[in-house]
Amino acid sequence: MIITFATQKGGTGKTTLAIAFANFLSISSERKVNVFDFDFQKSFYHKWKEDEPLDIPKLYEVKIIDEENEEPVCDFENLIEMKESDEVYLFDLAGTLDAKYSDLLIYSDFIVIPFEYSNVSAKSTLVFINFLGLIESQAERVFIRSKYDKGYKYQNQEGMDAEISKYGVLLKSPVFKRNCLQTIDTRKLTYEQKYAVKNSFLELTDYINKCLEITL
Ligand SMILES: Nc1ncnc2c1ncn2[C@@H]1O[C@H](COP(=O)(O)OP(=O)(O)OP(=O)(O)O)[C@@H](O)[C@H]1O
Ligand SMILES: [Mg+2]
């Protein structure tokens, strides 16, 4: 199956959540996790490389996708093969819309969309939803409130929640703003990090299991 972390807005927590979810699945599921970094900044890949000296075993491989790649990873045949596979193919995208993402966004099983309630983020999320509509993406959309501040009263929360719920599933549990997530690595989840993402990720895996009639 293909699970893609994407949205049009930069800095919303895509890579952080993609790393946390890849770690979470590698630890909690029997399925093999394969990560593709499709962002020109290659943040996920660099982090994974940086973690090489750590004295903890690697949880998964991370490959980069760029123009220099000889084999096209995201062509139709490969995508269908990944989609039909029992393994998990997890993609982390850049915070910009680009035609090169279209096929992946069309054929992903799930697109995980982290968002915040700031006006800029809210607008970008709606633009991204619109883009998915235009390319006729078949993927299930899962929205996660990212960097959520418990003590803050977001004025547009109700309206935004109602709007995005028309286009996909909004997870009840937010991922709160937590310092521990700023120092995440690709080899483990600390107790604190696990606590920070657990409820959202259990909801997410439940939803995936329900949609695909599988057990992650
Ligand atoms: N839940 C969180 N709590 C606190 N800080 C967070 C959280 N999630 C992400 N951050 C921080 O926010 C910044 C942006 O996060 P991240 O790189 O994951 O976003 P992104 O959407 O991948 O950005 P880009 O669009 O540049 O790829 C990072 O400094 C990260 O450590
Ligand atoms: Mg990123």
Side-chain angles (χ1 to χ4, degrees), residues 47-56 58 186-187:
K47 185 86 207 85
W48 180 73
K49 277 279 176 200
E50 210 179 283
D51 294 338
E52 260 170 12
L54 292 180
D55 202 13
I56 312 169
K58 221 192 281 186
T186 63
R187 302 269 167 125

Side-chain angles (χ1 to χ4, degrees), residues 9-16 39 41 93-95 146-147 175-179 181-182:
K9 170 81 175 58
T12 45
K14 292 180 292 297
T15 304
T16 304
D39 182 354
Q41 297 180 92
L93 266 53
S146 182
K147 302 194 203 176
V175 172
F176 293 104
K177 194 179 265 178
R178 294 258 189 269
N179 289 342
L181 289 175
Q182 295 179 347

